[in-house]
Amino acid sequence: MLNLAVCVSGGGTNLQAIIDAIDGGSITNTRITAVISNNAGAYALERAKSRGIEAACISPKQFGSREEFNQAFLEKLDSYQPDLVVLAGFLVVLPEMMIKKYKDRIINIHPSLIPSFCGKGYYGLKVHEGALKRGVKVTGATVHFVDEGTDTGPILLQQPVAVEPGDTPETLQRRVMEQAEWKILPKAIDLIANGKVRVEGGKALVSE
Ligand code: GAR
């Protein structure tokens, strides 16, 4: 059984997609051990609580320095002994010691086709603003393993999504979520839970 810790910062629709996929049986051999937020007001915490899932909040505001926050965050995460850490709209830069400790055991969902519209400054709606500004006709989402860089780790799954005439960042964000994120994040978890993914030579290899 794969124990997940899901890290969130906001609405938690990707968390909901994971919960629904576990309930519906499209993710197997998996349970969500805990949901951790950096933001006490995150609706994602309510989604977790309403399903009886342990929900914790650790905010940088509770600590005098970034180092203290990082330490507390890592201790909290370790206390759940997760097999896999899922960043589902988690908008905090991870401490390096956490990335090292959980090497090849952290995945992130990013709302573009990496390497487009990713890296520092590209998160949430800003990604879609960038895509519309550039005039791309196709965008999408990517699930990747997390390494020390920003959105640079091995790519596990990608799903393209068409940009439509008249799209706003909000309409595009919604379509990318519906057509890509809520599908490939649960799928990635199921593949990992069933031993179908390995990371080799900086690449994520899938055997279905
Ligand atoms: C999602 O679109 C996710 O891809 C994005 O934040 C949103 C969270 O929504 N993540 C990033 O931009 C990470 N760089 P949610 O809280 O409803 O799942």
Side-chain angles (χ1 to χ4, degrees), residues 8-16 44 47 87-91 108-112 117-119 122-128 141-142 144 150-151 173 176-177 181-182 185:
V8 294
S9 298
T13 64
N14 278 286
L15 167 68
Q16 191 66 52
R47 293 183 193 267
L87 308 183
F90 189 57
L91 304 181
N108 179 47
I109 178 83
H110 183 77
S112 75
F117 312 111
C118 64
Y122 280 115
Y123 58 88
L125 269 185
K126 289 180 194 295
V127 178
H128 306 292
T142 302
H144 65 93
T150 307
D151 302 326
Q173 178 182 53
V176 168
M177 284 177 157
E181 297 185 43
W182 301 342
L185 185 57

Side-chain angles (χ1 to χ4, degrees), residues 71-88:
Q71 187 65 39
F73 186 82
L74 188 55
E75 277 170 20
K76 190 78 188 166
L77 184 68
D78 285 348
S79 74
Y80 297 118
Q81 300 187 292
D83 302 308
L84 183 70
V85 179
V86 179
L87 308 183

Side-chain angles (χ1 to χ4, degrees), residues 82-102:
D83 302 308
L84 183 70
V85 179
V86 179
L87 308 183
F90 189 57
L91 304 181
V92 170
V93 176
L94 297 189
E96 214 174 295
M97 57 186 170
M98 173 177 159
I99 296 171
K100 286 205 164 75
K101 187 162 186 178
Y102 287 88

Side-chain angles (χ1 to χ4, degrees), residues 183-194:
K183 294 185 172 148
I184 62 174
L185 185 57
K187 180 163 186 202
I189 294 167
D190 185 60
L191 288 170
I192 293 170
N194 289 288

